[in-house]
Amino acid sequence: MGKNDAAKFMRKAIRLSISNVEKVNGGPFGAVVVKNGKVIARGTNNVTATNDPTAHAEIVAIRKACKRLKTYQLTGCEIYTSCEPCPMCLAAIYWARPDKIYYANSKEDAAAIHFDDKLIYEEIAKPVSERKIFTQQLLRDEAQAAFKKWSESPDKIAY
């Protein structure tokens, strides 16, 4: 796929982000998932519209793409997003395993309008005991039973 195609798909993500602001549907973020040169899913930030803090544009688009393709991985796909993915979206994108990610605005651009993911990036790097939200490991030995069953299961679907 050529540079012009990439710009065309990015413009679709940007248009979604602008439209989302105009509709007062959520934050200024849009994303599209492309496979074989065709948009297969679109997403906008729906956090405030749905009271769902995970309803970021990339997550919405990934969910729609996986549903449409009937798969939990987006191998062979590209994700175009109007802004550099936040830590949650970046993790979801890695779990979805697309071939490429393209973004327009940077995380610094997002921080300039008060979408600052810097805190989360900093928190991830800290030891658990130093994080702002109290976090404690509990009942690991009991929880290991599920992991043991998973690792021994002949019926598991690895991902």
Side-chain angles (χ1 to χ4, degrees):
M1 182 166 50
K3 194 175 189 178
N4 288 340
D5 289 333
K8 175 181 80 171
F9 294 125
M10 183 57 74
R11 285 188 182 100
K12 289 181 185 296
I14 293 168
R15 278 196 299 276
L16 285 169
S17 70
I18 294 167
S19 174
N20 209 48
V21 174
E22 293 169 349
K23 292 176 182 175
V24 193
N25 196 47
F29 306 99
V32 296
V33 178
V34 174
K35 184 165 186 162
N36 299 325
K38 293 182 181 171
V39 174
I40 60 163
R42 293 168 177 78
T44 57
N45 179 288
N46 297 318
V47 170
T48 57
T50 62
N51 293 318
D52 179 354
T54 69
H56 290 201
E58 298 92 332
I59 303 289
V60 172
I62 288 168
R63 288 175 179 160
K64 289 178 179 179
C66 288
K67 186 173 183 175
R68 181 169 180 193
L69 296 174
K70 295 180 173 72
T71 183
Y72 51 87
Q73 293 186 341
L74 297 177
T75 306
C77 295
E78 300 169 345
I79 295 180
Y80 293 80
T81 180
S82 65
C83 187
E84 187 173 356
C86 74
M88 176 183 70
C89 291
L90 185 60
I93 290 168
Y94 269 85
W95 279 113
R97 293 175 173 81
D99 293 354
K100 296 178 182 177
I101 306 167
Y102 296 93
Y103 67 91
N105 290 311
S106 69
K107 60 185 174 186
E108 292 80 15
D109 296 329
I113 62 164
H114 308 290
F115 284 94
D116 192 357
D117 304 325
K118 183 179 177 187
L119 169 70
I120 300 169
Y121 282 108
E122 290 172 352
E123 288 290 294
I124 290 169
K126 290 180 183 177
V128 171
S129 63
E130 294 177 21
R131 292 183 183 159
K132 290 187 183 294
I133 297 176
F134 175 83
T135 306
Q136 178 182 356
Q137 188 174 25
L138 189 63
L139 300 178
R140 179 182 179 268
D141 291 342
E142 289 180 35
Q144 285 289 303
F147 281 15
K148 186 174 192 281
K149 282 187 181 291
W150 168 263
S151 64
E152 294 171 354
S153 174
D155 300 323
K156 71 178 172 253
I157 299 171
Y159 59 97

